[in-house]
Amino acid sequence: VFSSRFLSRNRKLGWNDVSFTIQASGRHAPLHPSGEPMVKIGTDEWILPETSEHRRLSAIECALIQTFPADYIWKGNLGSIYKQIGNAVPCLLAKAVSKPIADYLKEYYSVNETQKKLETVI
């Protein structure tokens, strides 16, 4: 069962479309791309065809979109798990942002340690 508020927007994308934002609530998880697309019947009013099955993405599917490893072990109840996934920075994005910073800091401290050693010798 989907609320009219949930259905006020097109929540269903195709297999090759970029996912909607993964929110911190299972009630707002995007719809799985299987089945027929939603049909717009008015301003902010969409329906799901009755001739097709519809379901929200599972917590695991949402986690995969957020680039968590498939074998990641989640703790807590289902609502808590959706919240953890929705509040997370995608893993590969975090890695892409943090790696250059870590590389810079390693180089910076390596150079400074070498300079300090040279200063003590001189």
Side-chain angles (χ1 to χ4, degrees), residues 23 37 86:
Q23 298 183 16

Side-chain angles (χ1 to χ4, degrees), residues 67-86:
T67 68
F68 279 92
D71 61 351
Y72 190 85
I73 298 172
W74 297 94
K75 303 285 184 186
N77 63 33
L78 186 58
S80 170
I81 292 169
Y82 269 111
K83 190 171 191 171
Q84 292 169 59
I85 295 165

Side-chain angles (χ1 to χ4, degrees), residues 1 3 9-10 14 19 21-22 24-25 30 37 49 53 55 62 65 76-79 82 91-92 97 100 112-113 119:
V1 178
S3 72
R9 302 278 189 270
N10 181 10
S19 176
T21 298
I22 301 301
S25 169
E53 290 187 26
R55 68 173 180 86
C62 290
I65 290 170
N77 63 33
L78 186 58
Y82 269 111
C91 301
L92 293 181
V97 170
N112 281 345
E113 288 300 314
E119 289 171 0

